[in-house]
Amino acid sequence: MTDVAHVAHEPRAGVGADARDGARTGETNRERISRRQVDKFAERRAQLADAALQTLAEFGYARTSLREIAQNSQFSHGVLHYYFSDKQDLLTHCVRQYEAACVTRYDEIVAAARSAEELKGEFSAAMAQTLRTDAPMHRLWYDLRNQSLFEESFRADVLEIDQRREEMIWRVLSRYAEFAGITVALSPPAAYSILDGLFQQALLHQLAGDEEAAEVLRGNVVRVLDMLAGGR
């Protein structure tokens, strides 16, 4: 009220200037508040997705509902439903959040490698290690990819994630080819399909209790890269 009375006694020109400044300031504040609200909403979704990942990875898409996820976390069913429209929305967000870290998993290896042999050894070992330590999360990814054959609503998200995974593998193979002085005859999709197929097969054996699955995968990755180098 004091500010309004003060403005009313200012010269007319000043009124217009102050009004314009006030309007601009008010707009900036609204934008700032809106941005904070969006950021807070996104942060909350990320927290909920982290909490849901373990349940989804343990039970899979078909056997998990929002209510079951809530029962296995500190968040209520109502909270989950407020931030996610349905299970598909939550599952897609979870996998995208997880894959955001995964699709750069091998970039440090590529950057640090100084020879084809070093890159081959580190890359194959890293694939074997993530099979050992992150099998449930990889299972969730393949579950989602299979479900996208039937659920059109998240097919576009799956295709985008799959493309990013393909690009990650191609960065490894391109650097390896550069070190080895070869040209990779395979296309990026073909090269990705070979290594992804080997990983998925190894994952099935790992989940079945095969203690040699990771080491077999490592050896197969080495053989694939040796095969590429053999065509120099």
Side-chain angles (χ1 to χ4, degrees):
M1 294 295 294
T2 303
D3 290 342
V4 172
H6 175 72
V7 170
H9 288 89
E10 291 293 324
R12 185 174 184 82
V15 171
D18 286 348
R20 286 194 299 271
D21 290 341
R24 283 196 294 269
T25 302
E27 184 176 2
T28 301
N29 287 339
R30 285 196 297 272
E31 290 175 348
R32 188 179 299 112
I33 292 171
S34 177
R35 185 169 58 253
R36 283 201 299 267
Q37 290 173 336
V38 169
D39 291 344
K40 186 175 181 179
F41 188 85
E43 180 181 349
R44 189 62 161 166
R45 276 170 62 93
Q47 291 172 347
L48 293 169
D50 280 340
L53 270 172
Q54 295 303 319
T55 302
L56 286 164
E58 180 179 357
F59 296 107
Y61 173 82
R63 297 169 56 199
T64 307
S65 67
L66 286 181
R67 191 171 299 281
E68 287 167 326
I69 292 171
Q71 289 172 351
N72 285 276
S73 72
Q74 69 272 35
F75 303 104
S76 69
H77 178 252
V79 169
L80 286 173
H81 227 305
Y82 175 78
Y83 285 94
F84 297 97
S85 57
D86 52 27
K87 184 175 70 171
Q88 292 178 17
D89 184 23
L90 173 59
L91 178 59
T92 303
H93 190 85
C94 285
V95 174
R96 288 178 70 91
Q97 189 163 301
Y98 175 69
E99 286 297 313
C102 291
V103 294
T104 59
R105 174 182 284 120
Y106 307 118
D107 286 354
E108 286 188 11
I109 294 173
V110 172
R114 293 296 176 263
S115 69
E117 283 300 310
E118 182 181 349
L119 178 56
K120 178 173 62 177
E122 292 295 328
F123 173 56
S124 59
M127 286 194 72
Q129 183 60 25
T130 190
L131 180 71
R132 293 187 188 97
T133 58
D134 300 320
M137 302 308 303
H138 292 300
R139 176 175 61 182
L140 179 58
W141 157 246
Y142 287 115
D143 186 17
L144 175 59
R145 193 164 73 175
N146 289 336
Q147 288 293 331
S148 71
L149 297 173
F150 304 95
E151 298 283 355
E152 186 177 355
S153 60
F154 51 73
R155 192 171 298 159
D157 290 306
V158 167
L159 287 171
E160 180 184 339
I161 293 170
D162 213 42
Q163 178 63 34
R164 294 176 64 192
R165 290 166 66 95
E166 178 187 309
E167 291 167 356
M168 172 182 65
I169 294 300
W170 190 248
R171 288 193 293 273
V172 175
L173 295 186
S174 296
R175 186 60 172 153
Y176 179 77
E178 182 181 337
F179 278 133
I182 62 174
T183 299
V184 181
L186 297 172
S187 66
Y192 170 60
S193 296
I194 291 171
L195 290 171
D196 184 66
L198 287 173
F199 190 90
Q200 188 171 9
Q201 181 187 51
L203 176 63
L204 179 60
H205 285 273
Q206 177 79 10
L207 293 170
D210 184 353
E211 296 181 357
E212 300 299 320
E215 186 58 26
V216 170
L217 173 64
R218 189 198 65 76
N220 282 332
V221 172
V222 167
R223 280 187 280 275
V224 168
L225 295 179
D226 283 343
M227 179 186 67
L228 294 177
R232 72 176 72 201

